[in-house]
């Protein structure tokens, strides 16, 4: 049984990382797309405060266009941590969505701290050292708070999707399954903490065994079930729309804030060269049937007969 | 029975009903003051016989009504074929990465609904949720294109038949593509983009587009040079006439230069201004001449008309037009292109064309606003703001503000020359669309004017009334709308409700306000007399 639990966790970690990497590389491999930015663009420095950008300047192509990373962080941090857009535009949902997301952040932190302490101990740090004492204390706070908040949030979202007429028609079996999976997993985590592992020593030992490939028996069936559920969740999340937790980076940085102009950039021009040579098979008469087959040919072809005559 | 505001379900879209939904005029968002609102009116019988008018009380996209089972199946087949191409990098390199991320990451939280002026104006009718249209499209994509296993369970069921396709096509024309909804999405999903992509399937694959945007729009522009039907010679003649008329009227002698090789700037107007708002053309010419700018207009095909309706429905038509405009600039050897008062033209040529124009055609392009700001703020022309001493508000065209981040120059100008300037709320990047965005400003078939007044233009009208809340009544007021399409929408709204007489409301561009304040020009360039 214990071996099965260990192997499930290893498998889920592999699935998680492979899926995340696959989705990221799949996006990065996509050809050049046109610009489609949406203001306020967060990195426009002082102009961001009122939603402006570099196109407010004459001869903007001759002027420096510094990118404010700090500006981006100022938007991303409240957005990621506190779901600012939901707070501002959908307050009722925020009361459920925020605890759910924040609970998951705390759970992630909890797992990271377990991993950190395990590695520290494997490297010889003593349990009584100051650093590990602090880590243990934060772990003890993050774990239960994360479990409780995410259960409450997921239950709130479940209830809202079930009862709110505006959400009901847009909620599918998968939504309820996902939320249910979170509730069950986090409930097992909560029970393990309450009944078996109040200081997370057992969990930490399990993490140490996992990291050192020391596949010894786990000793608690409750913890075993919790670990299998976490493994399932971990492997499952990036396969669903919840992959927005990392793909959001591209939705914001590459699309919404993707305002980098092409000022005769050799790399952008090379990419334009590639896409303009892609074949076009759209079937409408104004596009097809003129014997033109690439974007470059189609885009420089005038489908109106008179214009053709004029050219000749 | 068509569905009322809170009873519409996603799968109703496929049902065999005469129409899907109807917005009861009683439910419309109330406006501040007395605004008579009548019934929707009837779509003419011949339109109904010919086209699939089965969505609601209007009919925008002329989808031929299938008469046989084979024609019904054909509609679905062609739609799916187009959808397949939409998700191929070759056919849709322009937008596919953005479309796919919007397909995959929506949390279906409906946070975007409250941001949409159509949803609010319709009295919060379910059909106008930005997500409604996107969700139908998404379910079809997941089931029929991506072929996800257990798709009905995972993404929700969808019954795909000809009605689903026809209604989805029409739903893509119940959106101004203003992207206000996208701004509020916590994840970055873009329902406006989805609407535009649906329009592309119909145009690029099925050959179905609105006549105003396609036959009389982008095709006419490619054929004669402008969607106004004017060829280069006629446009030149008309502008010459404008020069003469307005030189006399203003007492300021000016002439608009054409086809000047080696000029610094190629100025491209929306040619609609030449016919509908000649004072806008004159104002530009007066200001540019007075400021001593080296500029020219071009009489080359499509280069004297900045419109690029492809932006609203068709990437190929978009690319063709942008390339013609850039070619004209290259031929003249100008240093840059400056776009006049037309929002979508700004966005099209400055931003979207940025990764479409090949090397050699990448002539720098910018808005007229920064140049105008420099002229006004650096006192390159003499201005007397007391000539503009009437209440003025500013409409922010979505393309200039939310989509390009040009917010401050117009405010710097207007604050300097209009002592009674006041903002609408919200404004800048958070503005509301005028209601004419994405092509409606030039549409007046069947009950489309009703839709533009009752639904799409309603929120803007409310904003305008509120901006002048302390001076309602016939006292003279001015709405500066630096965009040709927006002016078209305001013109029709003001006429419909008699707002010039009742509220003293006049709309116009920003350059007109500048010329109205120029001391070298006779007073009264802006007039409230009925034209
Ligand atoms: S588009 Fe964004 S705001 Fe709208 S439902 Fe989807 S995730 Fe929510
Ligand atoms: S783009 Fe504008 S009109 Fe269209 S759904 Fe979004 S907010 Fe509404």
């Amino acid at each position: 049984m214990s071996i099965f639990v260990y192997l499930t966790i290893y498998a889920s970690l592999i699935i998680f990382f492979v899926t995340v990497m696959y989705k990221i590389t799949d996006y990065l491999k996509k050809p050049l797309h046109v610009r489609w930015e949406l203001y306020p663009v967060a990195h426009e420095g002082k102009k961001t405060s009122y939603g402006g950008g570099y196109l407010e300047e004459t001869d903007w192509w001759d002027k420096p266009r510094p990118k404010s990373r700090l500006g981006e962080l100022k938007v991303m941090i409240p957005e990621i941590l506190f779901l600012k857009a939901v707070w501002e535009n959908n307050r009722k949902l925020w009361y459920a969505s925020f605890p759910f997301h924040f609970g998951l952040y705390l759970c992630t932190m909890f797992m990271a701290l377990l991993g950190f302490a395990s590695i520290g101990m494997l490297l010889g740090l003593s349990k009584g050292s100051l650093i590990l004492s602090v880590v243990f204390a934060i772990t003890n706070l993050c774990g239960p708070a994360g479990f409780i908040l995410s259960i409450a949030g997921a239950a709130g979202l479940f209830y809202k999707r079930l009862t709110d007429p505006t959400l009901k028609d847009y909620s599918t079996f998968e939504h309820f399954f996902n939320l249910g999976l979170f509730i069950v997993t986090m409930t097992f985590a909560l029970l393990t903490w309450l009944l078996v592992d109040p200081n997370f020593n057992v969990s930490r030992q399990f993490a140490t065994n996992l990291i050192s490939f020391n596949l010894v028996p786990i000793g608690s069936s409750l913890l075993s079930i919790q670990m299998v559920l976490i493994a399932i969740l971990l492997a499952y999340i990036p396969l669903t729309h919840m992959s927005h937790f990392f793909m959001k980076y591209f939705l914001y940085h590459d699309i919404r804030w993707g305002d980098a102009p092409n000022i005769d950039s050799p790399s952008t021009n090379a990419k334009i060269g590639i896409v303009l040579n892609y074949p076009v098979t759209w079937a409408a008469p104004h596009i097809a049937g003129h014997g033109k087959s690439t974007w470059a040919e189609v885009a420089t072809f005038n489908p109106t007969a008179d214009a053709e005559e004029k050219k000749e | 029975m068509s569905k009322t505001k809170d009873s519409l379900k996603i799968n109703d879209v496929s049902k065999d009903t005469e129409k899907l939904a109807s917005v009861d005029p009683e439910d419309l968002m109330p406006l501040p003051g007395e605004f008579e609102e009548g019934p929707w009116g009837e779509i003419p019988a011949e339109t109904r016989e010919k086209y699939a008018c089965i969505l609601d009380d209007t009919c925008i996209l002329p989808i031929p009504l299938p008469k046989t089972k084979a024609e019904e199946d054909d509609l679905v087949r062609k739609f799916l074929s187009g959808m397949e191409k939409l998700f191929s990098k070759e056919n849709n390199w322009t937008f596919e990465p953005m479309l796919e991320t919007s397909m995959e990451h929506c949390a279906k939280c409906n946070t975007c609904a409250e941001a949409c002026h159509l949803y609010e104006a319709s009295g919060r009718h379910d059909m106008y949720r930005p997500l409604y249209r996107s969700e139908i499209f998404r379910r079809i994509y997941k089931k029929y294109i991506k072929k996800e296993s257990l798709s009905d369970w995972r993404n929700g069921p969808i019954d795909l038949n000809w009605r689903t396709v026809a209604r989805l096509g029409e739903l893509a024309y119940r959106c101004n593509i203003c992207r206000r909804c996208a701004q509020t999405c916590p994840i970055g999903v873009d329902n406006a983009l989805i609407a535009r992509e649906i329009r592309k399937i119909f145009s690029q694959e099925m050959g179905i587009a609105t006549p105003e945007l396609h036959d009389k729009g982008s095709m006419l522009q490619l054929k004669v040079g402008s969607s106004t039907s004017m060829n280069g010679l006629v446009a030149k003649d008309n502008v010459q006439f404008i020069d003469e008329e307005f030189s006399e009227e203003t007492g300021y002698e000016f002439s608009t230069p054409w086809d000047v090789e080696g000029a610094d700037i190629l100025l491209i107007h929306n040619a609609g201004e030449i016919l509908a708002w000649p004072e806008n053309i004159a104002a530009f010419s007066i200001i540019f001449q007075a400021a001593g700018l080296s500029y020219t207009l071009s009489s080359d095909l499509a280069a004297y008309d900045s419109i690029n309706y492809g932006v609203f429905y068709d990437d190929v038509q978009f690319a063709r037009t942008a390339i013609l405009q850039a070619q004209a600039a290259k031929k003249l050897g100008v240093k840059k292109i400056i776009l006049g008062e037309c929002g979508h033209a700004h966005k099209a040529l400055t931003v979207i064309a940025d990764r479409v124009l090949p090397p050699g055609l990448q002539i720098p392009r910018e808005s007229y606003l920064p140049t105008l700001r420099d002229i006004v703020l650096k006192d390159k022309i003499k201005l007397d703001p007391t000539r503009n001493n009437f209440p003025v508000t500013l409409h922010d065209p979505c393309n200039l503000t939310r989509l390009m981040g040009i917010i401050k120059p117009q405010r710097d100008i207007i604050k300097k020359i209009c002592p009674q300037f006041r903002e609408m709320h919200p404004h800048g990047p958070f503005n509301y669309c005028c209601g004419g965005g994405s092509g409606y400003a030039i549409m007046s078939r069947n009950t489309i004017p009703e839709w533009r007044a009752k639904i799409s233009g309603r929120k803007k009208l409310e904003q305008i009334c509120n901006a002048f809340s302390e001076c309602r009544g016939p006292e003279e007021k001015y709405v500066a709308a630096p965009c040709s399409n927006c002016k078209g929408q305001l013109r029709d709204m003001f006429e419909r409700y008699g707002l010039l007489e009742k509220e003293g409301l006049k709309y116009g561009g920003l350059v007109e306000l500048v010329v109205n304040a120029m001391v070298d020009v006779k007073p009264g360039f802006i007039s409230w007399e009925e034209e």
Side-chain angles (χ1 to χ4, degrees):
Chain A
M1 174 67 185
S2 295
I3 295 287
F4 169 75
V5 177
Y6 284 111
L7 293 181
T8 315
I9 295 266
Y10 289 132
S12 80
L13 283 168
I14 293 168
I15 295 172
F16 179 86
F17 284 111
V18 168
T19 315
V20 169
M21 289 320 292
Y22 173 79
K23 291 207 169 180
I24 291 175
T25 47
D26 186 54
Y27 187 84
L28 292 174
K29 273 194 323 217
K30 287 190 185 291
L32 181 79
H33 60 79
V34 296
R35 274 168 56 194
W36 194 244
E37 61 259 36
L38 187 63
Y39 285 81
V41 169
H43 55 233
E44 291 293 332
K46 281 188 191 144
K47 288 178 185 288
T48 298
S49 64
Y50 60 83
Y54 66 83
L55 294 170
E56 289 188 330
E57 302 302 319
T58 45
D59 301 332
W60 52 262
W61 48 91
D62 285 336
K63 296 181 177 157
R65 290 180 309 283
K67 260 191 167 185
S68 164
R69 295 288 173 212
L70 187 68
E72 291 184 353
L73 289 177
K74 271 197 213 158
V75 174
M76 286 314 274
I77 289 173
E79 182 50 46
I80 292 170
L81 281 186
F82 305 116
L83 310 191
K84 190 164 169 269
V86 185
W87 168 260
E88 282 169 357
N89 301 300
N90 198 348
R91 192 67 57 90
K92 277 197 214 155
L93 192 73
W94 186 89
Y95 290 117
S97 193
F98 170 70
F100 175 64
H101 284 86
F102 201 75
L104 292 184
Y105 300 151
L106 290 177
C107 291
T108 311
M109 177 122 164
F110 163 76
M111 290 195 289
L113 290 173
L114 284 185
F116 179 85
S118 303
I119 293 170
M121 288 191 298
L122 284 170
L123 294 176
L125 271 180
S126 100
K127 278 186 182 173
S129 64
L130 179 66
I131 182 157
L132 283 192
S133 307
V134 173
V135 168
F136 290 174
I138 305 176
T139 312
N140 289 349
L141 279 178
C142 284
F147 306 149
I148 292 167
L149 278 176
S150 51
I151 293 169
L157 288 172
F158 197 102
Y159 177 75
K160 275 201 146 307
R161 289 211 172 270
L162 208 58
T163 56
D164 185 329
T166 61
L167 286 177
K168 215 170 153 184
D169 195 33
Y170 295 88
S171 302
T172 64
F173 173 80
E174 187 178 283
H175 283 110
F176 295 109
F177 176 80
N178 295 351
L179 291 167
L181 187 59
F182 276 106
I183 293 172
V184 171
T185 308
M186 294 306 163
T187 304
F188 268 93
L190 191 67
L191 288 175
T192 310
W193 171 63
L194 283 172
L195 306 176
V196 183
D197 194 15
N199 296 317
F200 298 113
N201 288 332
V202 185
S203 301
R204 204 172 289 112
Q205 186 55 52
F206 174 77
T208 311
N209 295 341
L210 200 65
I211 290 166
S212 56
F213 298 100
N214 180 21
L215 311 188
V216 294
I218 295 172
S220 158
S221 43
L222 210 48
L223 182 68
S224 298
I225 298 171
Q226 179 201 336
M227 289 304 158
V228 171
L229 284 168
I230 285 179
I232 294 171
L233 205 55
L234 206 59
Y236 178 68
I237 289 173
L239 296 168
T240 68
H241 81 89
M242 292 181 281
S243 53
H244 66 239
F245 85 87
F246 59 94
M247 289 304 289
K248 191 166 165 170
Y249 176 86
F250 299 102
L251 283 147
Y252 273 68
H253 287 78
D254 186 52
I255 300 172
R256 211 167 175 163
W257 300 340
D259 63 347
N262 177 23
I263 306 172
D264 211 13
S265 142
S267 72
T268 308
N269 284 344
K271 288 180 193 162
I272 292 176
I274 293 171
V275 292
L276 290 183
N277 280 302
Y278 279 156
V280 184
T281 61
W282 290 105
H286 67 282
I287 301 175
H290 303 286
K292 312 290 173 194
S293 60
T294 66
W295 273 91
E297 288 170 350
V298 167
T300 50
F301 173 72
N302 194 327
T304 61
D306 285 1
E308 270 304 281
E309 279 163 23
K310 238 187 260 169
K311 267 190 194 168
E312 278 157 14
Chain B
M1 254 297 273
S2 56
K3 296 286 177 159
T4 52
K5 67 185 191 125
D6 320 303
S7 61
L8 185 66
K9 301 275 170 274
I10 293 166
N11 277 294
D12 289 339
V13 74
S14 316
K15 291 193 179 148
D16 183 4
T17 45
E18 195 188 327
K19 61 182 169 186
L20 176 71
S22 183
V23 174
D24 185 341
E26 294 281 311
D27 288 339
L28 295 174
M29 179 191 81
L31 286 170
E34 296 291 309
F35 289 88
E36 290 274 311
E37 213 52 82
W40 277 97
E42 287 298 319
I43 298 170
E46 58 274 25
T47 306
R48 286 196 169 285
E49 275 158 30
K50 232 168 138 186
Y51 301 114
C53 304
I54 56 168
L55 181 72
D56 56 2
D57 298 290
T58 193
C59 198
I60 297 181
L61 186 63
I63 303 169
L65 183 67
K67 301 277 194 282
T68 61
K69 177 78 176 66
E71 284 179 10
E72 289 175 3
D73 293 346
D74 208 39
L75 195 70
V76 177
R77 188 185 54 73
K78 283 184 178 159
F79 178 80
L80 284 178
S81 149
M83 202 175 197
E84 188 121 32
K85 289 173 193 172
L86 214 52
F87 288 92
S88 84
K89 72 171 187 191
E90 287 82 9
N91 274 304
N92 199 24
W93 62 268
T94 44
F95 285 92
E96 193 271 342
M98 299 182 265
L99 177 63
E100 201 187 308
T101 45
S102 278
M103 282 294 104
E104 295 301 330
H105 301 294
C106 175
K108 290 147 207 185
C109 64
N110 262 309
T111 300
C112 44
E114 283 300 323
C116 177
H117 58 292
L118 307 183
Y119 178 61
E120 191 180 346
S122 67
R124 299 189 163 74
H125 194 294
D126 279 336
M127 189 183 88
Y128 286 104
R129 290 180 181 283
L131 187 55
Y132 186 74
R133 165 185 52 245
S134 302
E135 193 50 18
I136 296 163
F137 183 77
R138 186 177 285 110
R139 288 185 183 185
I140 298 173
Y141 163 66
K142 298 272 187 167
K143 188 166 175 175
Y144 294 94
I145 304 298
K146 213 177 168 205
K147 299 190 170 66
E148 271 186 6
S149 45
L150 304 174
S151 183
D152 283 2
W153 277 24
R154 295 194 62 189
N155 310 299
I158 189 81
D159 179 13
L160 179 61
N161 59 37
W162 78 269
R163 286 185 184 81
T164 324
V165 170
R167 285 180 176 139
L168 188 58
E170 190 66 13
L171 273 168
Y173 285 87
R174 293 296 180 282
C175 169
N176 284 115
I177 316 195
C178 73
R179 299 181 70 203
R180 201 168 188 275
C181 51
Q183 215 175 25
T184 61
C185 176
I187 293 169
V189 170
D190 193 339
N191 290 306
L193 177 118
I194 295 170
R196 186 179 177 275
E197 295 296 291
I198 299 170
R199 293 182 181 194
K200 273 165 55 179
I201 298 182
F202 278 84
S203 178
Q204 296 177 192
E205 182 70 8
M206 304 162 82
I208 300 170
T210 61
E212 295 86 352
L213 292 181
H214 191 68
D215 296 332
K216 298 183 216 159
S218 66
M219 289 298 265
L220 197 56
Q221 190 176 19
L222 293 174
K223 187 173 182 182
V224 301
S226 163
S227 66
T228 57
S229 309
M230 290 184 290
N231 64 24
L233 274 180
V234 176
K236 225 166 150 175
D237 260 9
N238 283 340
V239 171
Q240 210 169 3
F241 179 70
I242 291 171
D243 291 351
E244 287 159 14
E245 282 284 297
F246 280 88
S247 289
E248 200 184 312
E249 198 181 307
T250 59
Y252 185 92
E253 200 62 41
F254 69 95
S255 71
T256 308
W258 283 86
D259 301 316
V260 181
E261 281 185 32
D264 289 346
I265 297 164
L266 167 63
L267 173 65
I268 315 186
H269 289 296
N270 177 320
E273 310 285 297
I274 300 174
L275 302 179
W277 298 289
E279 64 279 10
N280 184 270
I281 305 286
F284 265 101
S285 300
I286 291 171
I287 297 167
F288 275 32
Q289 180 172 314
L293 299 186
S294 155
Y295 83 104
T296 183
L297 269 55
S298 164
S299 61
D300 273 4
L301 195 72
Y304 53 93
D305 193 350
S306 63
I307 69 142
N308 191 336
Y309 290 156
V311 159
F312 301 142
Y313 77 104
D314 189 307
D315 286 350
V316 173
Q317 294 294 84
F318 161 78
R320 286 170 173 161
T321 309
I323 285 172
L324 285 176
Q325 290 164 341
Q327 279 171 341
K330 188 181 178 189
K331 188 173 129 192
L332 290 169
V334 294
K335 293 192 181 122
K336 62 181 171 186
I337 297 174
I338 285 190
L339 291 147
E341 292 195 345
C342 178
H344 87 274
H346 267 73
K347 170 83 181 171
L349 202 55
T350 314
V351 176
I352 305 183
D354 196 43
R355 295 178 188 165
V356 174
L357 296 173
L361 285 183
Q362 294 162 358
I363 292 98
R365 304 161 306 278
E366 69 181 21
S367 166
Y368 77 102
L369 278 166
T371 297
L372 187 65
R373 185 224 3 233
D374 288 355
I375 293 172
V376 170
L377 265 57
K378 291 179 182 162
D379 296 321
K380 290 190 181 159
I381 50 178
K382 275 198 216 125
L383 297 165
D384 174 7
T386 60
R387 288 193 180 183
N388 284 336
N389 197 13
F390 39 81
V392 174
T393 191
L394 174 68
H395 162 65
D396 281 308
C398 305
N399 283 296
L400 284 172
T401 54
R402 185 162 30 255
L403 310 189
M404 288 177 76
I406 302 176
I407 316 283
K408 201 159 171 281
Q410 57 272 51
R411 288 178 165 73
D412 289 345
I413 297 164
I414 214 162
K415 282 176 186 165
K416 172 141 184 187
I417 61 170
C418 298
Q420 295 192 50
F421 169 64
R422 75 277 318 281
E423 291 278 14
M424 293 185 199
H425 295 285
H427 57 261
F430 306 110
N431 74 320
Y432 282 103
C433 170
C434 61
S438 84
Y440 306 114
I442 50 165
M443 295 184 192
S444 54
R445 279 172 291 128
N446 59 69
T447 56
I448 298 175
E450 285 299 319
W451 183 78
R452 286 170 54 198
K454 284 185 166 64
I455 307 280
S456 74
R458 201 166 188 83
K459 189 68 193 172
K460 184 51 63 180
L461 192 53
E462 183 198 50
Q463 277 197 295
I464 293 171
C465 293
N466 288 340
F468 295 123
S469 59
E470 94 294 359
C471 53
R472 296 287 296 271
E475 180 192 332
E476 292 172 350
K477 307 180 248 314
Y478 190 87
V479 182
C483 167
S484 189
N485 264 310
C486 303
K487 282 193 298 196
Q489 171 68 13
L490 294 185
R491 173 192 56 203
D492 296 350
M493 290 293 278
F494 287 11
E495 264 174 34
R496 176 193 173 95
Y497 295 110
L499 297 180
L500 180 60
E501 308 82 51
K502 277 200 250 165
E503 299 277 348
L505 273 179
K506 181 171 176 78
Y507 67 90
L510 186 60
V511 282
E512 287 90 317
L513 278 171
V514 174
V515 173
N516 198 52
M518 274 177 75
V519 292
D520 292 341
V521 166
K522 281 189 214 160
F525 186 74
I526 294 177
S527 139
W528 275 259
E529 298 296 307
E530 278 220 61
E531 278 135 35

